[in-house]
Amino acid sequence: MAEKRNIFLVGPMGAGKSTIGRHLADELHLEFFDSDQEIERRTGADIAWIFDLEGEDGFRKREENVIYDLTDKQGIVLATGGGSVMNKDVRNRLSARGIVVYLQTTIDKQVARTQRDKRRPLLQHGEPETVLRELAEVRNPLYEEVADYVIDTDDQSARAVANQIVSKIDLF
Ligand SMILES: Nc1ncnc2c1ncn2[C@@H]1O[C@H](COP(=O)(O)OP(=O)(O)O)[C@@H](O)[C@H]1O
Ligand SMILES: O=C(O)C1=C[C@@H](OP(=O)(O)O)[C@@H](O)[C@H](O)C1
Ligand SMILES: [Mg+2]
């Protein structure tokens, strides 16, 4: 029986990974997972609380464990958190276990799409635009390194992006 392929979404906060991932899973009749949601399900605590109590390092350890577990599955769409690619083992794991799609979007859109949602600890201190630019400097090369496909999400709806991914990727 041929292994059912996985699709992993990477990209910055506000690129649409969690939203587009769910649409994509529906379109392809695959199971959807979101690493943040899985961490919260397993811990019974929200991301902000984990950052507060265990620091970013504690969060990253949980994120790595969850991604390792979820990427053992077959036939899933996984929306990762924006910082997951900073871990080389995670990048290698994603590359080995599925198709990686980098959802690319401008800083302006990242700011606009995250400003109402206060659940991202890294954006609660300092100017979000400045923080997102600094993160992009470090992370964009890592998104590009791990990506099999790069999709721009600036000027199309989440559903339209999901449809574009379906039409573009070679799943089998
Ligand atoms: N292509 C898009 N166009 C407009 N808004 C979007 C798009 N993709 C996602 N959004 C909105 O942006 C916000 C952040 O999306 P989310 O999926 O949480 O991004 P991420 O998981 O990459 O941080 C949500 O309110 C979502 O509805
Ligand atoms: O970029 C980051 O370091 C983070 C992104 C978030 O996920 P989204 O990219 O889905 O917002 C979440 O994992 C946490 O707040 C840290
Ligand atoms: Mg998300």
Side-chain angles (χ1 to χ4, degrees), residues 10-19 34-36 39 47-48 51 56 59-60 63 79-84 86 114 117 119-123 132 135 139 143:
V10 302
M13 290 179 261
K17 302 179 297 295
S18 298
T19 307
D34 181 294
S35 57
D36 284 344
I39 291 167
I47 302 293
F51 265 75
E56 183 170 354
F59 171 77
R60 295 298 172 202
E63 183 176 55
T80 65
S84 60
M86 292 196 296
T114 56
D117 179 350
R119 292 174 299 166
R120 296 179 175 87
L122 296 179
L123 299 184
L132 288 164
L135 293 175
R139 296 170 174 191
Y143 297 135

mmCIF file of all heavy atoms in Angstrom, residues 10-19 34-36 39 47-48 51 56 59-60 63 79-84 86 114 117 119-123 132 135 139 143, ligand 2:
data_model
loop_
_atom_site.group_PDB
_atom_site.id
_atom_site.type_symbol
_atom_site.label_atom_id
_atom_site.label_comp_id
_atom_site.label_asym_id
_atom_site.label_seq_id
_atom_site.Cartn_x
_atom_site.Cartn_y
_atom_site.Cartn_z
ATOM 1 N N VAL A 10 4.750 25.867 6.322
ATOM 2 C CA VAL A 10 5.677 26.688 7.106
ATOM 3 C C VAL A 10 5.528 28.135 6.643
ATOM 4 O O VAL A 10 4.972 28.403 5.567
ATOM 5 C CB VAL A 10 7.146 26.240 6.948
ATOM 6 C CG1 VAL A 10 7.329 24.779 7.371
ATOM 7 C CG2 VAL A 10 7.665 26.460 5.519
ATOM 8 N N GLY A 11 6.005 29.055 7.482
ATOM 9 C CA GLY A 11 5.931 30.477 7.135
ATOM 10 C C GLY A 11 5.722 31.313 8.376
ATOM 11 O O GLY A 11 5.498 30.774 9.469
ATOM 12 N N PRO A 12 5.783 32.627 8.228
ATOM 13 C CA PRO A 12 5.732 33.527 9.385
ATOM 14 C C PRO A 12 4.348 33.598 10.019
ATOM 15 O O PRO A 12 3.349 33.153 9.428
ATOM 16 C CB PRO A 12 6.130 34.877 8.788
ATOM 17 C CG PRO A 12 5.719 34.793 7.360
ATOM 18 C CD PRO A 12 5.921 33.356 6.967
ATOM 19 N N MET A 13 4.274 34.207 11.195
ATOM 20 C CA MET A 13 2.991 34.463 11.847
ATOM 21 C C MET A 13 2.136 35.311 10.901
ATOM 22 O O MET A 13 2.624 36.281 10.317
ATOM 23 C CB MET A 13 3.211 35.242 13.155
ATOM 24 C CG MET A 13 3.865 34.436 14.244
ATOM 25 S SD MET A 13 4.129 35.385 15.761
ATOM 26 C CE MET A 13 5.852 35.835 15.565
ATOM 27 N N GLY A 14 0.870 34.903 10.734
ATOM 28 C CA GLY A 14 -0.029 35.675 9.891
ATOM 29 C C GLY A 14 0.020 35.280 8.427
ATOM 30 O O GLY A 14 -0.725 35.824 7.602
ATOM 31 N N ALA A 15 0.859 34.313 8.071
ATOM 32 C CA ALA A 15 0.895 33.870 6.657
ATOM 33 C C ALA A 15 -0.377 33.104 6.296
ATOM 34 O O ALA A 15 -0.731 33.008 5.117
ATOM 35 C CB ALA A 15 2.130 32.994 6.424
ATOM 36 N N GLY A 16 -1.029 32.537 7.306
ATOM 37 C CA GLY A 16 -2.289 31.823 7.065
ATOM 38 C C GLY A 16 -2.167 30.310 7.211
ATOM 39 O O GLY A 16 -3.057 29.564 6.806
ATOM 40 N N LYS A 17 -1.104 29.841 7.835
ATOM 41 C CA LYS A 17 -0.852 28.387 7.924
ATOM 42 C C LYS A 17 -2.029 27.655 8.562
ATOM 43 O O LYS A 17 -2.505 26.647 8.049
ATOM 44 C CB LYS A 17 0.422 28.145 8.731
ATOM 45 C CG LYS A 17 1.652 28.829 8.153
ATOM 46 C CD LYS A 17 2.926 28.590 8.984
ATOM 47 C CE LYS A 17 2.838 29.161 10.377
ATOM 48 N NZ LYS A 17 2.727 30.626 10.437
ATOM 49 N N SER A 18 -2.518 28.155 9.708
ATOM 50 C CA SER A 18 -3.592 27.464 10.439
ATOM 51 C C SER A 18 -4.899 27.498 9.658
ATOM 52 O O SER A 18 -5.631 26.503 9.592
ATOM 53 C CB SER A 18 -3.766 28.104 11.817
ATOM 54 O OG SER A 18 -2.571 27.970 12.582
ATOM 55 N N THR A 19 -5.202 28.620 9.042
ATOM 56 C CA THR A 19 -6.470 28.794 8.313
ATOM 57 C C THR A 19 -6.456 28.051 6.989
ATOM 58 O O THR A 19 -7.362 27.270 6.680
ATOM 59 C CB THR A 19 -6.711 30.295 8.061
ATOM 60 O OG1 THR A 19 -6.616 30.995 9.308
ATOM 61 C CG2 THR A 19 -8.076 30.542 7.431
ATOM 62 N N ASP A 34 -2.603 21.134 13.725
ATOM 63 C CA ASP A 34 -1.902 22.413 13.904
ATOM 64 C C ASP A 34 -1.015 22.211 15.128
ATOM 65 O O ASP A 34 -1.510 21.827 16.206
ATOM 66 C CB ASP A 34 -2.936 23.527 14.157
ATOM 67 C CG ASP A 34 -2.286 24.883 14.334
ATOM 68 O OD1 ASP A 34 -1.563 25.052 15.333
ATOM 69 O OD2 ASP A 34 -2.494 25.756 13.480
ATOM 70 N N SER A 35 0.282 22.438 14.995
ATOM 71 C CA SER A 35 1.180 22.107 16.112
ATOM 72 C C SER A 35 0.854 22.907 17.365
ATOM 73 O O SER A 35 0.905 22.369 18.486
ATOM 74 C CB SER A 35 2.649 22.282 15.709
ATOM 75 O OG SER A 35 2.904 23.598 15.259
ATOM 76 N N ASP A 36 0.455 24.178 17.190
ATOM 77 C CA ASP A 36 0.080 24.968 18.378
ATOM 78 C C ASP A 36 -1.137 24.366 19.075
ATOM 79 O O ASP A 36 -1.175 24.209 20.298
ATOM 80 C CB ASP A 36 -0.255 26.411 17.974
ATOM 81 C CG ASP A 36 0.980 27.234 17.675
ATOM 82 O OD1 ASP A 36 2.089 26.810 18.062
ATOM 83 O OD2 ASP A 36 0.840 28.296 17.051
ATOM 84 N N ILE A 39 -0.209 21.230 20.899
ATOM 85 C CA ILE A 39 0.500 21.523 22.160
ATOM 86 C C ILE A 39 -0.509 21.922 23.234
ATOM 87 O O ILE A 39 -0.464 21.432 24.369
ATOM 88 C CB ILE A 39 1.540 22.652 21.951
ATOM 89 C CG1 ILE A 39 2.698 22.168 21.074
ATOM 90 C CG2 ILE A 39 2.065 23.161 23.295
ATOM 91 C CD1 ILE A 39 3.597 23.289 20.567
ATOM 92 N N ILE A 47 -0.730 28.768 24.601
ATOM 93 C CA ILE A 47 0.666 29.039 24.211
ATOM 94 C C ILE A 47 1.265 30.129 25.097
ATOM 95 O O ILE A 47 2.402 30.024 25.563
ATOM 96 C CB ILE A 47 0.738 29.443 22.710
ATOM 97 C CG1 ILE A 47 0.164 28.347 21.808
ATOM 98 C CG2 ILE A 47 2.181 29.809 22.315
ATOM 99 C CD1 ILE A 47 0.931 27.063 21.754
ATOM 100 N N ALA A 48 0.472 31.181 25.339
ATOM 101 C CA ALA A 48 0.990 32.316 26.139
ATOM 102 C C ALA A 48 1.372 31.850 27.543
ATOM 103 O O ALA A 48 2.415 32.231 28.088
ATOM 104 C CB ALA A 48 -0.064 33.419 26.187
ATOM 105 N N PHE A 51 4.641 29.949 27.373
ATOM 106 C CA PHE A 51 5.770 30.882 27.256
ATOM 107 C C PHE A 51 6.070 31.515 28.620
ATOM 108 O O PHE A 51 7.218 31.659 29.030
ATOM 109 C CB PHE A 51 5.432 31.994 26.237
ATOM 110 C CG PHE A 51 5.939 31.730 24.842
ATOM 111 C CD1 PHE A 51 5.314 30.803 24.020
ATOM 112 C CD2 PHE A 51 7.036 32.429 24.330
ATOM 113 C CE1 PHE A 51 5.756 30.570 22.721
ATOM 114 C CE2 PHE A 51 7.495 32.204 23.027
ATOM 115 C CZ PHE A 51 6.850 31.264 22.220
ATOM 116 N N GLU A 56 10.432 30.537 26.168
ATOM 117 C CA GLU A 56 10.406 30.098 24.769
ATOM 118 C C GLU A 56 11.104 28.743 24.607
ATOM 119 O O GLU A 56 10.639 27.895 23.840
ATOM 120 C CB GLU A 56 11.032 31.151 23.851
ATOM 121 C CG GLU A 56 10.943 30.737 22.386
ATOM 122 C CD GLU A 56 11.331 31.817 21.392
ATOM 123 O OE1 GLU A 56 11.588 32.976 21.791
ATOM 124 O OE2 GLU A 56 11.364 31.490 20.193
ATOM 125 N N PHE A 59 8.697 26.051 25.374
ATOM 126 C CA PHE A 59 7.726 25.940 24.274
ATOM 127 C C PHE A 59 8.339 25.194 23.087
ATOM 128 O O PHE A 59 7.747 24.296 22.499
ATOM 129 C CB PHE A 59 7.246 27.320 23.829
ATOM 130 C CG PHE A 59 6.418 27.282 22.571
ATOM 131 C CD1 PHE A 59 5.087 26.868 22.604
ATOM 132 C CD2 PHE A 59 6.987 27.600 21.339
ATOM 133 C CE1 PHE A 59 4.339 26.788 21.439
ATOM 134 C CE2 PHE A 59 6.257 27.523 20.170
ATOM 135 C CZ PHE A 59 4.924 27.120 20.217
ATOM 136 N N ARG A 60 9.604 25.580 22.738
ATOM 137 C CA ARG A 60 10.259 24.954 21.572
ATOM 138 C C ARG A 60 10.452 23.440 21.774
ATOM 139 O O ARG A 60 10.354 22.659 20.818
ATOM 140 C CB ARG A 60 11.604 25.623 21.299
ATOM 141 C CG ARG A 60 11.503 27.083 20.891
ATOM 142 C CD ARG A 60 10.750 27.296 19.604
ATOM 143 N NE ARG A 60 10.531 28.734 19.362
ATOM 144 C CZ ARG A 60 9.571 29.208 18.578
ATOM 145 N NH1 ARG A 60 8.724 28.381 17.989
ATOM 146 N NH2 ARG A 60 9.415 30.499 18.413
ATOM 147 N N GLU A 63 7.160 21.966 21.103
ATOM 148 C CA GLU A 63 6.876 22.079 19.655
ATOM 149 C C GLU A 63 7.619 20.978 18.890
ATOM 150 O O GLU A 63 7.047 20.300 18.036
ATOM 151 C CB GLU A 63 7.307 23.462 19.166
ATOM 152 C CG GLU A 63 7.005 23.760 17.719
ATOM 153 C CD GLU A 63 7.372 25.192 17.344
ATOM 154 O OE1 GLU A 63 8.537 25.618 17.538
ATOM 155 O OE2 GLU A 63 6.459 25.908 16.858
ATOM 156 N N ALA A 79 -0.164 22.324 9.982
ATOM 157 C CA ALA A 79 0.215 23.740 10.067
ATOM 158 C C ALA A 79 1.205 23.863 11.212
ATOM 159 O O ALA A 79 0.873 23.576 12.369
ATOM 160 C CB ALA A 79 -1.018 24.621 10.335
ATOM 161 N N THR A 80 2.441 24.233 10.897
ATOM 162 C CA THR A 80 3.449 24.396 11.946
ATOM 163 C C THR A 80 3.357 25.810 12.506
ATOM 164 O O THR A 80 2.688 26.676 11.947
ATOM 165 C CB THR A 80 4.872 24.175 11.380
ATOM 166 O OG1 THR A 80 5.157 25.214 10.428
ATOM 167 C CG2 THR A 80 4.995 22.803 10.718
ATOM 168 N N GLY A 81 4.033 26.061 13.628
ATOM 169 C CA GLY A 81 4.160 27.423 14.151
ATOM 170 C C GLY A 81 5.310 28.115 13.432
ATOM 171 O O GLY A 81 6.260 27.464 12.984
ATOM 172 N N GLY A 82 5.241 29.433 13.384
ATOM 173 C CA GLY A 82 6.186 30.207 12.576
ATOM 174 C C GLY A 82 7.648 30.033 12.929
ATOM 175 O O GLY A 82 8.526 30.208 12.092
ATOM 176 N N GLY A 83 7.927 29.634 14.192
ATOM 177 C CA GLY A 83 9.316 29.519 14.629
ATOM 178 C C GLY A 83 9.880 28.115 14.549
ATOM 179 O O GLY A 83 11.043 27.858 14.867
ATOM 180 N N SER A 84 9.054 27.165 14.108
ATOM 181 C CA SER A 84 9.483 25.742 14.159
ATOM 182 C C SER A 84 10.704 25.482 13.283
ATOM 183 O O SER A 84 11.520 24.609 13.590
ATOM 184 C CB SER A 84 8.324 24.835 13.735
ATOM 185 O OG SER A 84 7.932 25.151 12.405
ATOM 186 N N MET A 86 13.342 27.031 12.997
ATOM 187 C CA MET A 86 14.642 27.410 13.569
ATOM 188 C C MET A 86 15.392 26.196 14.074
ATOM 189 O O MET A 86 16.596 26.226 14.284
ATOM 190 C CB MET A 86 14.441 28.430 14.688
ATOM 191 C CG MET A 86 13.943 29.753 14.162
ATOM 192 S SD MET A 86 14.133 31.056 15.357
ATOM 193 C CE MET A 86 13.049 30.476 16.643
ATOM 194 N N THR A 114 -2.251 39.749 12.256
ATOM 195 C CA THR A 114 -1.986 39.275 13.633
ATOM 196 C C THR A 114 -2.384 40.309 14.679
ATOM 197 O O THR A 114 -2.407 40.007 15.860
ATOM 198 C CB THR A 114 -0.478 38.959 13.822
ATOM 199 O OG1 THR A 114 0.290 40.132 13.483
ATOM 200 C CG2 THR A 114 -0.047 37.786 12.941
ATOM 201 N N ASP A 117 -5.216 39.447 17.182
ATOM 202 C CA ASP A 117 -5.129 38.170 17.919
ATOM 203 C C ASP A 117 -3.973 38.266 18.916
ATOM 204 O O ASP A 117 -2.819 38.253 18.526
ATOM 205 C CB ASP A 117 -4.890 37.035 16.900
ATOM 206 C CG ASP A 117 -4.758 35.679 17.589
ATOM 207 O OD1 ASP A 117 -4.658 35.653 18.830
ATOM 208 O OD2 ASP A 117 -4.747 34.659 16.873
ATOM 209 N N ARG A 119 -2.787 36.256 21.006
ATOM 210 C CA ARG A 119 -2.292 34.977 21.535
ATOM 211 C C ARG A 119 -0.857 34.666 21.121
ATOM 212 O O ARG A 119 -0.341 33.586 21.382
ATOM 213 C CB ARG A 119 -3.220 33.839 21.097
ATOM 214 C CG ARG A 119 -4.610 33.908 21.760
ATOM 215 C CD ARG A 119 -5.521 32.860 21.176
ATOM 216 N NE ARG A 119 -5.699 33.101 19.727
ATOM 217 C CZ ARG A 119 -6.216 32.185 18.907
ATOM 218 N NH1 ARG A 119 -6.557 31.000 19.369
ATOM 219 N NH2 ARG A 119 -6.363 32.468 17.623
ATOM 220 N N ARG A 120 -0.205 35.609 20.432
ATOM 221 C CA ARG A 120 1.168 35.347 20.011
ATOM 222 C C ARG A 120 2.131 36.099 20.944
ATOM 223 O O ARG A 120 2.348 37.301 20.781
ATOM 224 C CB ARG A 120 1.376 35.755 18.554
ATOM 225 C CG ARG A 120 0.526 34.936 17.571
ATOM 226 C CD ARG A 120 0.744 35.397 16.152
ATOM 227 N NE ARG A 120 0.047 34.563 15.171
ATOM 228 C CZ ARG A 120 -1.221 34.747 14.792
ATOM 229 N NH1 ARG A 120 -1.948 35.715 15.345
ATOM 230 N NH2 ARG A 120 -1.768 33.963 13.881
ATOM 231 N N PRO A 121 2.745 35.400 21.906
ATOM 232 C CA PRO A 121 3.582 36.073 22.923
ATOM 233 C C PRO A 121 4.680 36.946 22.327
ATOM 234 O O PRO A 121 4.965 38.033 22.846
ATOM 235 C CB PRO A 121 4.193 34.902 23.705
ATOM 236 C CG PRO A 121 3.255 33.771 23.511
ATOM 237 C CD PRO A 121 2.679 33.941 22.136
ATOM 238 N N LEU A 122 5.257 36.507 21.213
ATOM 239 C CA LEU A 122 6.401 37.250 20.655
ATOM 240 C C LEU A 122 6.001 38.601 20.110
ATOM 241 O O LEU A 122 6.837 39.463 19.854
ATOM 242 C CB LEU A 122 7.085 36.406 19.554
ATOM 243 C CG LEU A 122 7.719 35.107 20.028
ATOM 244 C CD1 LEU A 122 8.334 34.360 18.846
ATOM 245 C CD2 LEU A 122 8.766 35.358 21.098
ATOM 246 N N LEU A 123 4.667 38.792 19.923
ATOM 247 C CA LEU A 123 4.210 40.077 19.361
ATOM 248 C C LEU A 123 3.604 40.981 20.427
ATOM 249 O O LEU A 123 3.071 42.045 20.098
ATOM 250 C CB LEU A 123 3.196 39.828 18.228
ATOM 251 C CG LEU A 123 3.713 39.026 17.029
ATOM 252 C CD1 LEU A 123 2.639 38.954 15.948
ATOM 253 C CD2 LEU A 123 4.993 39.625 16.481
ATOM 254 N N LEU A 132 8.489 41.476 13.666
ATOM 255 C CA LEU A 132 8.288 40.591 12.508
ATOM 256 C C LEU A 132 9.411 40.755 11.474
ATOM 257 O O LEU A 132 9.850 39.779 10.862
ATOM 258 C CB LEU A 132 6.911 40.853 11.888
ATOM 259 C CG LEU A 132 5.741 40.333 12.726
ATOM 260 C CD1 LEU A 132 4.423 40.946 12.281
ATOM 261 C CD2 LEU A 132 5.674 38.801 12.699
ATOM 262 N N LEU A 135 12.424 38.879 12.898
ATOM 263 C CA LEU A 135 12.237 37.424 12.769
ATOM 264 C C LEU A 135 12.426 36.991 11.316
ATOM 265 O O LEU A 135 13.055 35.965 11.036
ATOM 266 C CB LEU A 135 10.847 37.021 13.273
ATOM 267 C CG LEU A 135 10.595 37.181 14.775
ATOM 268 C CD1 LEU A 135 9.130 36.850 15.104
ATOM 269 C CD2 LEU A 135 11.535 36.292 15.584
ATOM 270 N N ARG A 139 14.586 33.999 9.762
ATOM 271 C CA ARG A 139 13.813 32.810 9.403
ATOM 272 C C ARG A 139 13.557 32.620 7.904
ATOM 273 O O ARG A 139 13.443 31.486 7.445
ATOM 274 C CB ARG A 139 12.468 32.855 10.133
ATOM 275 C CG ARG A 139 12.622 32.775 11.639
ATOM 276 C CD ARG A 139 11.319 33.077 12.301
ATOM 277 N NE ARG A 139 11.356 32.882 13.751
ATOM 278 C CZ ARG A 139 10.256 32.885 14.491
ATOM 279 N NH1 ARG A 139 9.065 33.061 13.916
ATOM 280 N NH2 ARG A 139 10.335 32.698 15.797
ATOM 281 N N TYR A 143 12.890 29.091 5.871
ATOM 282 C CA TYR A 143 11.667 28.700 5.155
ATOM 283 C C TYR A 143 12.039 28.284 3.725
ATOM 284 O O TYR A 143 11.568 27.264 3.213
ATOM 285 C CB TYR A 143 10.666 29.852 5.085
ATOM 286 C CG TYR A 143 10.113 30.356 6.413
ATOM 287 C CD1 TYR A 143 10.027 31.724 6.664
ATOM 288 C CD2 TYR A 143 9.675 29.478 7.395
ATOM 289 C CE1 TYR A 143 9.518 32.206 7.871
ATOM 290 C CE2 TYR A 143 9.166 29.947 8.602
ATOM 291 C CZ TYR A 143 9.094 31.313 8.833
ATOM 292 O OH TYR A 143 8.597 31.795 10.030
HETATM 293 O O1 LIG B 2 6.696 32.579 15.020
HETATM 294 C C1 LIG B 2 6.746 32.077 16.193
HETATM 295 O O2 LIG B 2 7.805 31.944 16.861
HETATM 296 C C2 LIG B 2 5.462 31.581 16.781
HETATM 297 C C3 LIG B 2 4.374 31.408 15.946
HETATM 298 C C4 LIG B 2 3.051 30.968 16.465
HETATM 299 O O3 LIG B 2 2.330 30.193 15.497
HETATM 300 P P1 LIG B 2 1.718 30.875 14.154
HETATM 301 O O4 LIG B 2 2.850 31.033 13.179
HETATM 302 O O5 LIG B 2 0.663 29.904 13.667
HETATM 303 O O6 LIG B 2 1.141 32.197 14.574
HETATM 304 C C5 LIG B 2 3.227 30.127 17.736
HETATM 305 O O7 LIG B 2 3.877 28.901 17.418
HETATM 306 C C6 LIG B 2 4.034 30.903 18.763
HETATM 307 O O8 LIG B 2 3.334 32.081 19.103
HETATM 308 C C7 LIG B 2 5.421 31.234 18.232
#
